[in-house]
Amino acid sequence: NTVVNMTAGKIINNRNTSSIGHAGTVYVVSGATFNFSGGEISGNNKTTTSDIMYGQQVYISGGTMNFTGGSIIPTDSTRNAIYVYGTGTTATTTGRLTLSNNIVLDSGFIYCSYPNSPPIILNETLNPASKFNINLGDNMAGCTLVDGTSAGTYPASVSNFILNPDLTSLSLSQSGNDVIVGSDAIYLHGSRGDDANDGSSATFAVKTLKRARERLDANGGNTIIGVRSAKRGNADGTSD
C-alpha cells in the first residue's frame, strides 16, 4: 500500500537496463499509488527490445496512477508513454490511470491491454481541448476503456480520446457515460474457442474458421484475428 507523491521536479533521461519492470523509470506495482500532480517525466527508456510495447515513462501493473498535473513526454512519439496493465480483478490488482484537464501528455500513447476492469477513469469532466492518444491490445475489444458510470467517476466523452489509426480492426464509441472499445474483426481460437460465441473479443473467440467467416458476413467485417494462449500476467491479457 505504498503511496508516492510527485508535486515538482524532474525524472528524466534514465535507462532501465534490468529485467525488472517494463518502464524506463516509473513502475507502479499492485497495491501502490503514484500521485503525479507536478513536474516532468521525460526522456526515459527501457533498453530491452522486447519491451518496446510497454510504457517508456510509466508502467502501471496492478497499481494506480493519479495524473492530475505535470507533464509526461515520451522519448519517441511513436511509442507508448504510459502502459496500463493489471494482475487480477480486485481493486488493488487492476491497473488504473486517472486523468484530468490540467496535464500534459505530449504525443505518445496511453496503452491499455487488460480487459478485466476499465483501465481509465477521470478526475473531472474533460474539456473539449483535452485529447489523449490511445493504443490498445486486441483483447480490449468489447470492453470498457473509460469508466464514467461507477460511483466517484466523471462522465467520459469519446471525443477526448484518439485511437491509434493503425488499429483498423478496433474503434472507440460512446455508451452512456462510458467509452467502449468496438471491433469489426472476429476472434478465432482453434482449441479454446466456442462456435456458440460471437467472436467479438479474445474472451469470446469462435472455434472454427467456418464460424468466423459466418460472423464476418453478419457484421460486415473483413478481419479474422487468431488468438494465441499465454499465461496470466503476460502483456496481452490472455490466460491459459
Side-chain angles (χ1 to χ4, degrees):
N1 297 318
T2 300
V3 177
V4 175
N5 300 312
M6 182 173 175
T7 60
K10 296 182 178 182
I11 302 176
I12 60 173
N13 301 329
N14 296 285
R15 295 291 180 272
N16 181 357
T17 59
S18 74
S19 60
I20 300 174
H22 294 287
T25 302
V26 180
Y27 185 22
V28 188
V29 299
S30 296
T33 300
F34 177 42
N35 297 316
F36 182 42
S37 60
E40 177 184 325
I41 302 174
S42 68
N44 306 292
N45 215 333
K46 184 79 161 71
T47 57
T48 307
T49 303
S50 61
D51 286 321
I52 192 169
M53 67 178 288
Y54 299 98
Q56 276 188 331
Q57 313 306 317
V58 180
Y59 177 45
I60 306 167
S61 179
T64 296
M65 177 180 175
N66 295 311
F67 191 3
T68 59
S71 61
I72 294 179
I73 305 171
T75 309
D76 180 347
S77 63
T78 65
R79 290 175 60 181
N80 304 310
I82 302 173
Y83 180 62
V84 189
Y85 183 59
T87 58
T89 58
T90 68
T92 58
T93 58
T94 299
R96 181 64 63 88
L97 172 67
T98 70
L99 298 174
S100 303
N101 287 304
N102 189 34
I103 62 178
V104 177
L105 184 58
D106 186 14
S107 67
F109 291 93
I110 299 170
Y111 183 82
C112 302
S113 180
Y114 195 72
N116 285 16
S117 180
I120 298 174
I121 62 173
L122 307 180
N123 288 308
E124 59 185 339
T125 301
L126 298 180
N127 61 49
S130 295
K131 304 292 183 182
F132 300 98
N133 295 317
I134 300 295
N135 219 349
L136 297 170
D138 289 333
N139 59 337
M140 287 294 295
C143 300
T144 300
L145 174 69
V146 188
D147 179 4
T149 302
S150 298
T153 66
Y154 288 83
S157 172
V158 69
S159 63
N160 294 117
F161 300 92
I162 303 170
L163 186 64
N164 182 348
D166 292 338
L167 301 178
T168 55
S169 65
L170 297 176
S171 61
L172 298 181
S173 61
Q174 194 78 42
S175 178
N177 291 326
D178 299 339
V179 175
I180 62 173
V181 182
S183 174
D184 62 2
I186 297 299
Y187 290 77
L188 171 70
H189 196 309
S191 60
R192 300 181 186 272
D194 186 334
D195 280 350
N197 292 335
D198 62 7
S200 60
S201 68
T203 303
F204 299 102
V206 299
K207 185 178 182 66
T208 65
L209 185 59
K210 178 178 182 293
R211 179 58 174 162
R213 288 171 173 166
E214 290 173 351
R215 294 299 303 150
L216 280 182
D217 291 341
N219 72 3
N222 58 12
T223 303
I224 296 174
I225 297 175
V227 181
R228 65 181 179 86
S229 295
K231 292 182 179 180
R232 174 75 68 187
N234 282 6
D236 62 5
T238 58
S239 60
D240 59 6

